[in-house]
Amino acid sequence: MIDVDGLSKKFGDLTAVDDLSLHVNEGEVFGFLGPNGAGKTTTVRMLCTLISKTSGNARISGYEIGNKDDSLKIRKLIGLVPDNVGLSENLSAYDNLDFFGKIYDLPDAQRKESIQRFLEMLGLWEKRNVLAGTFSKGMKQKLAIARALIHDPQVLFLDEPTANLDPEAAKTVRDFILELKKEKKTIFLNTHNLDEAQRICDRIGILNTKLVTIGTPETLESEIRGKRTVIELEQVTDPVLKSLQKLSLTNMNVEGNKIEFDAVDSGNKNWSVVEAIVLAGGHVNLVNVEGSTLEDVYLKLVGENQ
Amino acid sequence: MRLSKAWLIAVRDFKIFRHQKNVWYPLIIFPVLISLVFPLVIQFASSRSGEAFAARVPLLLDSFSMFLVIGAAFVPLGIASYSIVGEKVEKSLEPLLATPITDGEILLGKTISAFLPTLVAMYTGGTIFMILNDVVTFPMLGYYYFPNWTIGVILIFLMPAAIVMSVEVSVIVSSRVNDVRSASNFGILMFFPFLALYIASELQLITLDINMFLIISGIIFLVDIALFFVSTTTFKREEILTKWK
């Protein structure tokens, strides 16, 4: 669906995006994480054919960005919610959507049906004739998403859709994105919000001008440090330690009444470890498998690439 | 270039303007002033100067007609500036630029949205100007001075050319400023070349007759072409998103 190969963008001497390569599958929700100035918005703008690339290639559904003939075709396939919602504030919610429906040449009946469907879905139908400028931030954001979806695009680009929203409005927008995910819409999501990325995205790329890493939230979490098994005992006794040493646990560490070791094939291993402890007279209070969080991964990788 | 897409932009702008009363004031006030003030001036002058004044009336009417052109250059400044600066403030150009519409179509739509209301306002003002002046000057001249070929040249060639020039200047200026007032203040410089022509005619350095109006129309038309190329260079999506302040 989206193929990016060695894409770069320079503004004078400043490199905004450097040698970016990635692939987003059809129906996938791809999250793009990175600090301010990492090049996330620049990447989206290049993919949406809003600004030119300096080098490299990118294709959306086989159409090449930077190719003049393909640019209009790409813009028919995509929907964009920019970081600033960019609504016409002196137009009603209905007129905002109606205008974009006409720009995409939607037939009258289809346009009206789509507008009603989205406004109802987002709880804005009753306010369809109210000027968008009077809406709350959350309502504006929802209207902007509806505007980007009015022509049923194959790919939806969302540039920080929950930034500056209060928690309730952010949740409404996130829930709507999850609804779109169920409909198998291909979504390219720029976000600062790690929790949001973890909950919504199938895969995540971390960008800091260059692509630092890419993978599923789970693989990224285990990228820094593998999962660790933590067993809490009432008391760590010598017989217990001796019996565990026979099991050759990797990176075993004892701290107070806790024993930690790398969790490889944690299901079987943990069972045999617990059995050894009990046979040595130990009392197990808790067995837990812990990993690094996405936040740990993000902070480490972005920090390394500053 | 698809005119239908440009027309969609213009219609949307008309809907937006409905909620912006400030945009409408120049469209109403200036044509009304022109159409009322000059007939009153002639009426007042004739009542004080007597029959000798009648000989000067045709020359005066042609000179006063120049104010229709000045109005055409002045009136669209607010509406054209709002059309661009308003989008900048609302940041509504980015989602529009991500649709299958070309930069040229957006620019043409913006030009139409400022051009048409101005043309309608100035034609309305011009019609009232002609009727009232005819009413006032008929007793002195013994015939209706308007319509004539001179005002025809003004209405058909000079006034539209002046409106286009004003709109193009507004587009260029609007790309560099962030509020409508600043854009209008820069655009007001448009006023001076036309005022200079009027003053030159009053000082009898030039005669504002049909030939002079045709020459001025030709010059403005050439300026329009030059400004069009400058404005299309300014109104490019990459420029808008990365360099517009």
Side-chain angles (χ1 to χ4, degrees):
Chain A
M1 178 58 68
I2 302 174
D3 285 298
V4 180
D5 183 18
L7 192 65
S8 297
K9 176 69 183 177
K10 287 186 175 183
F11 295 105
D13 294 334
L14 177 77
T15 302
V17 177
D18 190 11
D19 196 25
L20 174 67
S21 297
L22 57 87
H23 174 80
V24 179
N25 297 309
E26 190 172 352
E28 184 178 26
V29 179
F30 182 81
F32 223 22
L33 283 171
N36 288 331
K40 303 188 299 291
T41 298
T42 301
T43 302
V44 164
R45 284 178 169 177
M46 281 193 284
L47 293 176
C48 291
T49 74
L50 291 170
I51 59 173
S52 62
K53 63 186 180 184
T54 303
S55 61
N57 289 303
R59 288 176 175 272
I60 295 179
S61 285
Y63 297 115
E64 190 178 347
I65 71 158
N67 178 314
K68 203 176 174 185
D69 292 334
D70 284 358
S71 289
L72 281 180
K73 290 172 187 160
I74 288 172
R75 281 188 236 138
K76 281 182 187 169
L77 297 176
I78 62 164
L80 168 67
V81 180
D83 52 353
N84 290 293
V85 288
L87 295 166
S88 294
E89 305 223 329
N90 284 305
L91 284 184
S92 68
Y94 191 96
D95 283 342
N96 264 285
L97 299 189
D98 191 51
F99 168 70
F100 273 77
K102 285 175 178 168
I103 287 284
Y104 285 105
D105 293 322
L106 295 185
D108 279 2
Q110 187 188 341
R111 196 175 69 247
K112 286 173 184 169
E113 188 264 323
S114 290
I115 292 170
Q116 184 166 355
R117 184 165 68 90
F118 283 118
L119 289 180
E120 282 179 346
M121 196 186 291
L122 293 165
L124 296 173
W125 179 246
E126 297 303 318
K127 292 187 181 290
R128 63 189 177 279
N129 294 321
V130 176
L131 295 185
T134 65
F135 281 8
S136 67
K137 278 184 181 175
M139 289 159 79
K140 283 181 183 174
Q141 193 65 274
K142 287 193 283 184
L143 187 59
I145 294 174
R147 179 189 61 196
L149 290 167
I150 196 75
H151 59 296
D152 192 23
Q154 289 182 21
V155 186
L156 180 64
F157 289 92
L158 299 165
D159 196 357
E160 311 217 3
T162 57
N164 304 318
L165 295 185
D166 61 60
E168 193 182 349
K171 184 182 180 306
T172 313
V173 170
R174 258 195 305 272
D175 288 346
F176 187 62
I177 298 170
L178 285 168
E179 285 297 313
L180 296 173
K181 185 178 177 178
K182 283 181 197 162
E183 292 178 17
K184 294 287 172 197
K185 190 76 73 187
T186 307
I187 298 174
F188 195 104
L189 172 71
N190 277 359
T191 183
H192 278 306
N193 190 321
L194 302 170
D195 179 51
E196 178 175 285
Q198 197 159 22
R199 277 200 275 166
I200 296 177
C201 300
D202 298 313
R203 282 192 308 139
I204 292 168
I206 297 178
L207 185 75
N208 198 5
T209 307
K210 283 173 174 284
L211 186 66
V212 177
T213 188
I214 194 167
T216 64
E218 294 76 25
T219 55
L220 291 183
E221 281 173 356
S222 59
E223 195 165 278
I224 292 183
R225 185 185 68 174
K227 289 183 177 174
R228 301 267 290 169
T229 297
V230 180
I231 300 179
E232 192 181 311
L233 307 173
E234 272 186 9
Q235 192 181 3
V236 179
T237 58
D238 283 343
V240 168
L241 281 176
K242 278 179 188 169
S243 67
L244 291 180
Q245 278 161 4
K246 288 178 192 167
L247 295 174
S248 307
L249 300 173
T250 316
N251 293 325
M252 192 176 87
N253 182 37
V254 180
E255 197 175 313
N257 60 344
K258 284 183 183 174
I259 298 169
E260 277 185 45
F261 54 90
D262 287 352
V264 182
D265 188 15
S266 54
N268 292 329
K269 195 83 178 179
N270 290 346
W271 175 244
S272 58
V273 172
V274 169
E275 188 179 32
I277 291 170
V278 171
L279 288 174
H283 292 280
V284 177
N285 287 339
L286 185 73
V287 179
N288 200 11
V289 178
E290 294 178 351
S292 49
T293 63
L294 188 58
E295 188 177 19
D296 296 331
V297 179
Y298 175 85
L299 292 173
K300 182 173 189 296
L301 294 179
V302 169
E304 281 173 358
N305 284 274
Q306 287 289 1
Chain B
M1 179 80 78
R2 296 159 298 180
L3 192 59
S4 61
K5 298 289 181 196
W7 182 245
L8 282 176
I9 302 281
V11 170
R12 182 194 63 155
D13 278 4
F14 295 149
K15 283 185 180 174
I16 291 171
F17 296 156
R18 276 192 320 202
H19 300 283
Q20 286 294 316
K21 290 194 179 100
N22 292 346
V23 164
W24 293 104
Y25 292 148
L27 283 175
I28 296 165
I29 293 169
F30 209 85
V32 167
L33 277 178
I34 291 172
S35 59
L36 295 180
V37 167
F38 293 110
L40 286 173
V41 168
I42 288 175
Q43 177 69 39
F44 179 72
S46 68
S47 66
R48 290 174 65 93
S49 307
E51 285 184 10
F53 179 73
R56 290 191 58 208
V57 165
L59 204 61
L60 264 180
L61 289 175
D62 284 348
S63 291
F64 287 167
S65 302
M66 190 65 195
F67 277 87
L68 290 172
V69 183
I70 292 173
F74 175 73
V75 168
L77 291 174
I79 201 165
S81 301
Y82 180 79
S83 172
I84 305 281
V85 177
E87 298 251 26
K88 281 174 74 175
V89 172
E90 291 175 353
K91 301 189 186 302
S92 49
L93 274 175
E94 186 169 355
L96 181 59
L97 291 168
T99 67
I101 192 165
T102 65
D103 304 348
E105 286 159 357
I106 297 174
L107 184 57
L108 180 61
K110 295 280 170 201
T111 305
I112 293 170
S113 71
F115 179 85
L116 278 186
T118 308
L119 196 68
V120 169
M122 292 311 299
Y123 273 7
T124 306
T127 305
I128 298 169
F129 172 87
M130 286 191 287
I131 292 169
L132 291 183
N133 275 312
D134 276 346
V135 169
V136 170
T137 59
F138 183 79
M140 290 176 253
L141 300 174
Y143 64 94
Y144 292 117
Y145 189 74
F146 293 120
N148 57 31
W149 287 110
T150 306
I151 198 85
V153 167
I154 288 173
L155 293 176
I156 295 166
F157 297 113
L158 191 47
M159 203 187 275
I163 296 172
V164 170
M165 184 164 81
S166 182
V167 172
E168 301 295 352
V169 167
S170 296
V171 169
I172 296 163
V173 170
S174 297
S175 67
R176 302 287 171 224
V177 297
N178 271 326
D179 65 281
V180 176
R181 184 170 290 179
S182 303
S184 297
N185 288 346
F186 274 109
I188 223 159
L189 296 172
M190 292 277 307
F191 191 78
F192 292 107
F194 297 105
L195 195 64
L197 285 171
Y198 175 75
I199 292 168
S201 78
E202 287 301 305
L203 295 173
Q204 296 183 338
L205 298 173
I206 59 168
T207 305
L208 288 176
D209 57 10
I210 189 166
N211 292 325
M212 182 55 71
F213 283 130
L214 278 170
I215 290 168
I216 297 168
S217 301
I219 292 169
I220 295 179
F221 184 71
L222 292 175
V223 172
D224 283 350
I225 293 171
L227 287 173
F228 174 76
F229 283 109
V230 177
S231 63
T232 49
T233 308
T234 306
F235 204 88
K236 281 190 171 160
R237 58 192 61 221
E238 184 138 8
E239 291 270 322
I240 292 168
L241 292 172
T242 59
K243 292 187 182 164
W244 279 26
K245 290 174 182 167

